[in-house]
Amino acid sequence: MSIDCGESEPGLLGWALWPEREDLSIEYLRLLGSAQEGGATTAECRVTASRIDPSNDHSWYAEWMSVADVNCRRGNAALRDGHLLTAKSNWLRAINYCQSAALPFEREDRHYWLATSNMRQCARDYLDCCSPRGEVVRIPWLGGYPLEAYFLPAPELARPAPVIVCMGEPGQRKEELLHKVARYARERGMSLLAVDLLGAGTGSEFDQIVGRSDLETTLGHIMDYLVGREDVDAGRIAVLADGWGSSFVARGIAFDDRFAAAVCDGGIWDLHERAFLAARAPFQATFPGPDRDFGRVARNIKCPVLIATGERGWLRAERVRELFAQLKADGGDVTLKIFAASETAAMQAHVDNPTLANEYIFDWIASRLGI
């Protein structure tokens, strides 16, 4: 199925550093946006990009791994000297640069394995230096395929604490969330559970499970794990679907009413796909349409939902508003925030200004959790 990009394509091309390599240009834009969150520095990004031959994936890999190594070594040196804040800052940048280095390669490729292995080591070093100390946890899911997550306890001594579960869309790594959202949770007195679907290895097993029709079952297993922790307030657990390129988080909360709040697409992506397919089905009368989808997902969501997107996202803003109106008419406790291109944070996953989006999102979460 093709995706209607709306106005996103002209906006993207206006930012593109390498018009012939849209994938690398989008990733470079993500890196620049992450700089204001501590995931990079603009100076390092510009110098590194100037050395890259975009026609050569190995050039891309070598340059980003080089700057990642510099930051990793600088972080290790700062740790030896007792400068924990500087060490953590450098490791966060190294994580992000390693993630970018791995981008053009398949999960079975040696370059991908080296980059993700270094990234995971930096993440563990970062967690070890957090106060309170972060944890690497494994959550049972499929047989032989546990979910891996990073748990960062809330800074307050009082326990139990509210928790925000942050899940990226399929294929997105939890390591990115350490620079992207951790401080927003910490500053609002919330613990953070950053989790992905890539398992406990480098992600080579991911292709075996990503096509499953029951990805939403992960939410129930994650909730089971959290309510079993003594330092978690089981009545104040929220979930953030970072990027919402699919609706598996919305489907998950639809059949697990233990979540107190959710930031996701609220079922909009499923509604859009069903409407798209129904319009092209040869026998539309028998094809499950939007009304039936409301009964399956949207009508079952009990917690408040925030839908945050941008004018230049994958779906046109007017299409999002149309589907949102259906959700509201059905009685759902749903809030819609569409970031305009004039204010930024308007691209898919808010890559052009994640700070603006995160401030709004985490304020909304905090208000719903009574923080």
Side-chain angles (χ1 to χ4, degrees):
M1 184 185 73
S2 63
I3 295 175
D4 183 3
C5 294
E7 294 183 349
S8 63
E9 205 61 25
L12 169 62
L13 294 177
W15 282 84
L17 180 63
W18 304 289
E20 71 281 9
R21 288 298 301 269
E22 185 175 338
D23 58 335
L24 302 187
S25 295
I26 292 174
E27 179 63 9
Y28 181 68
L29 176 59
R30 185 195 70 81
L31 280 166
L32 288 179
S34 73
Q36 61 203 45
E37 301 285 17
T41 69
T42 55
E44 285 178 322
C45 288
R46 289 170 179 169
V47 170
T48 303
S50 70
R51 297 195 296 254
I52 290 174
D53 175 3
S55 66
N56 185 341
D57 288 345
H58 292 89
S59 170
W60 170 274
Y61 172 86
E63 297 303 339
W64 289 118
M65 283 300 292
S66 176
V67 70
D69 289 343
V70 168
N71 279 268
C72 184
R73 291 196 301 270
R74 200 158 48 213
N76 294 340
L79 176 64
R80 288 193 299 270
D81 294 337
H83 305 305
L84 297 188
L85 293 177
T86 298
K88 289 164 60 180
S89 295
N90 278 274
W91 288 327
L92 285 180
R93 295 194 293 269
I95 289 169
N96 212 18
Y97 295 142
C98 285
Q99 177 180 326
S100 293
L103 176 72
F105 299 96
E106 299 295 329
R107 293 184 178 88
E108 297 76 15
D109 192 282
R110 176 176 172 272
H111 297 85
Y112 182 95
W113 185 87
L114 287 172
T116 53
S117 295
N118 290 347
M119 175 183 65
R120 287 161 60 83
Q121 183 57 56
C122 287
R124 281 159 173 74
D125 292 339
Y126 173 86
L127 294 173
D128 285 343
C129 289
C130 287
S131 180
R133 185 175 181 178
E135 306 172 36
V136 181
V137 301
R138 292 193 177 185
I139 302 171
W141 180 37
L142 302 173
Y145 193 93
L147 300 171
E148 186 178 80
Y150 299 145
F151 186 81
L152 285 82
E156 301 298 330
L157 295 178
R159 295 289 185 271
V163 179
I164 174 69
V165 178
C166 193
M167 295 192 71
E169 62 184 81
Q172 183 180 354
R173 287 196 163 274
K174 62 186 175 295
E175 287 78 14
E176 177 184 357
L177 302 172
L178 294 178
H179 81 261
K180 191 172 183 180
V181 301
R183 76 175 179 91
Y184 293 97
R186 181 178 62 253
E187 291 169 353
R188 289 161 179 79
M190 294 184 285
S191 297
L192 170 70
L193 185 77
V195 59
D196 58 32
L197 298 176
L198 290 161
T202 58
S204 59
E205 307 94 337
F206 174 71
D207 293 333
Q208 302 171 23
I209 62 94
V210 68
R212 293 180 61 97
S213 59
D214 61 351
L215 295 181
E216 64 270 17
T217 61
T218 55
L219 274 294
H221 289 267
I222 290 168
M223 178 61 82
D224 290 342
Y225 166 76
L226 287 174
V227 298
R229 292 185 62 115
E230 295 182 354
D231 57 353
V232 168
D233 184 342
R236 294 196 293 170
I237 300 175
V239 60
L240 165 60
D242 188 52
W244 67 274
S246 67
S247 281
F248 80 95
V249 169
R251 295 195 300 270
I253 63 173
F255 300 102
D256 193 322
D257 60 7
R258 293 176 291 178
F259 288 94
V263 182
C264 63
D265 72 350
I268 277 182
W269 193 256
D270 274 348
L271 287 173
H272 177 72
E273 287 184 336
R274 283 173 171 263
F276 181 93
L277 294 172
R280 289 155 175 79
F283 303 104
Q284 294 181 32
T286 61
F287 194 90
D291 288 341
R292 288 184 61 183
D293 194 67
F294 271 114
R296 188 174 67 88
V297 177
R299 281 178 180 159
N300 283 305
I301 297 178
K302 303 299 191 299
C303 67
V305 173
L306 168 65
I307 300 171
T309 186
E311 281 187 338
R312 298 188 184 276
W314 289 346
L315 292 181
R316 290 181 181 272
E318 55 266 32
R319 180 60 173 155
V320 174
R321 291 189 182 96
E322 175 187 338
L323 295 172
F324 169 74
Q326 295 181 45
L327 293 173
K328 290 293 290 184
D330 203 57
D333 183 358
V334 188
T335 302
L336 175 64
K337 171 61 177 177
I338 298 180
F339 290 90
S342 59
E343 64 179 327
T344 67
M347 296 184 67
Q348 182 65 25
H350 314 292
V351 296
D352 51 326
N353 192 344
T355 304
L356 188 65
N358 282 333
E359 288 172 347
Y360 185 95
I361 288 169
F362 276 84
D363 283 348
W364 182 91
I365 293 171
S367 66
R368 293 308 183 274
L369 297 185
I371 300 173

